[in-house]
Amino acid sequence: QVQLVESGGGLVQAGGSLRLSCAASGSIFSIWTMGWYRQPPGKQRELVASMTSLGTTNYADSVKGRFTISRDNAKKTMYLQMNSLKPEDTAVYYCNRINYGLVPWGQGTQVTVSS
């Protein structure tokens, strides 16, 4: 069964940076389109960034120009570099597979941005 483990969250001041990691099990990670999602307090989960197996990326307007998604297929790991963080970026961040269907959600990693 595929498992996803997110890490790298924390408390940071507005304007700061964090780098999130998503480690995946599974033998064919390299062909998955992967995405970073976030769920702010009291709100629905939303997709903020995605990356296909060929490296094509897509970002939500709210994070465009500030967040960068990347992946290392050899390590079966995906990253989210978050710069110029804002208080509204506060959320639990999750990763998941987009093509071939979602896999069970991991525990996520909490990102808190103080003003």
Side-chain angles (χ1 to χ4, degrees):
Q1 185 176 356
V2 176
Q3 290 186 318
L4 302 169
V5 179
E6 302 92 348
S7 62
L11 173 63
V12 64
Q13 289 188 331
S17 298
L18 284 173
R19 189 193 193 205
L20 306 184
S21 297
C22 167
S25 64
S27 60
I28 51 175
F29 174 83
S30 61
I31 70 171
W32 298 345
T33 293
M34 293 293 294
W36 280 102
Y37 299 75
R38 68 184 181 189
Q39 186 166 17
K43 297 185 179 180
Q44 290 189 331
R45 196 170 296 176
E46 61 177 351
L47 177 66
V48 296
S50 63
M51 189 172 198
T52 70
S53 59
L54 297 179
T56 301
T57 58
N58 196 25
Y59 298 93
D61 288 343
S62 58
V63 306
K64 201 170 292 183
R66 300 187 298 120
F67 290 11
T68 302
I69 188 172
S70 61
R71 63 195 293 168
D72 184 333
N73 289 333
K75 295 183 178 179
K76 299 180 184 177
T77 302
M78 179 176 68
Y79 305 97
L80 187 67
Q81 178 67 43
M82 306 187 296
N83 298 329
S84 303
L85 283 161
K86 304 175 181 180
E88 50 263 45
D89 295 317
T90 295
V92 179
Y93 284 72
Y94 302 87
C95 60
N96 213 312
R97 185 177 68 185
I98 292 178
N99 60 349
Y100 304 103
L102 295 174
V103 300
W105 294 94
Q107 292 187 329
T109 186
Q110 175 71 48
V111 172
T112 303
V113 184
S114 63
S115 56

